[in-house]
Amino acid sequence: MEEVSKRLRDLREDGDYTQSQIAEVLKIQRQMYRRYESGETDLPIRHLKTLCLFYHVSSDYLIGLSDDHSEVYK
């Protein structure tokens, strides 16, 4: 869970996005996204899929099963 939270934050910051902007992509409130990023709440699969497509990364990368950032989905 900690790995997912860190990668969520890192991807967001690398893209210069705010939590509010990512929450908008997910169609949720910022407070809910903050809970995903802080590790307070598990990221649902539907949001995992959306974020993988948004950031062009694999789910394996996002959940920490792979460190290969080049496994990009388009």
Side-chain angles (χ1 to χ4, degrees):
M1 185 63 154
E2 187 175 312
E3 186 71 27
V4 174
S5 302
K6 181 181 180 334
R7 291 194 180 191
L8 285 174
R9 184 182 62 248
D10 289 347
L11 286 167
R12 178 180 59 78
E13 290 175 349
D14 289 348
D16 291 324
Y17 297 107
T18 65
Q19 287 184 342
S20 295
Q21 289 171 313
I22 301 304
E24 210 171 287
V25 168
L26 297 175
K27 297 178 176 48
I28 59 174
Q29 293 185 355
R30 187 199 62 79
Q31 295 85 348
M32 189 72 230
Y33 178 76
R34 182 196 58 76
R35 289 186 198 127
Y36 298 151
E37 202 173 278
S38 69
E40 294 173 46
T41 303
D42 289 338
L43 183 69
I45 291 174
R46 69 182 183 278
H47 293 324
L48 173 68
K49 180 180 176 182
T50 300
L51 291 172
C52 288
L53 293 170
F54 180 78
Y55 289 124
H56 303 287
V57 297
S58 71
S59 56
D60 284 353
Y61 174 78
L62 194 55
I63 64 174
L65 292 177
S66 171
D67 288 330
D68 188 355
H69 197 275
S70 66
E71 295 178 24
V72 178
Y73 291 126
K74 295 183 182 186

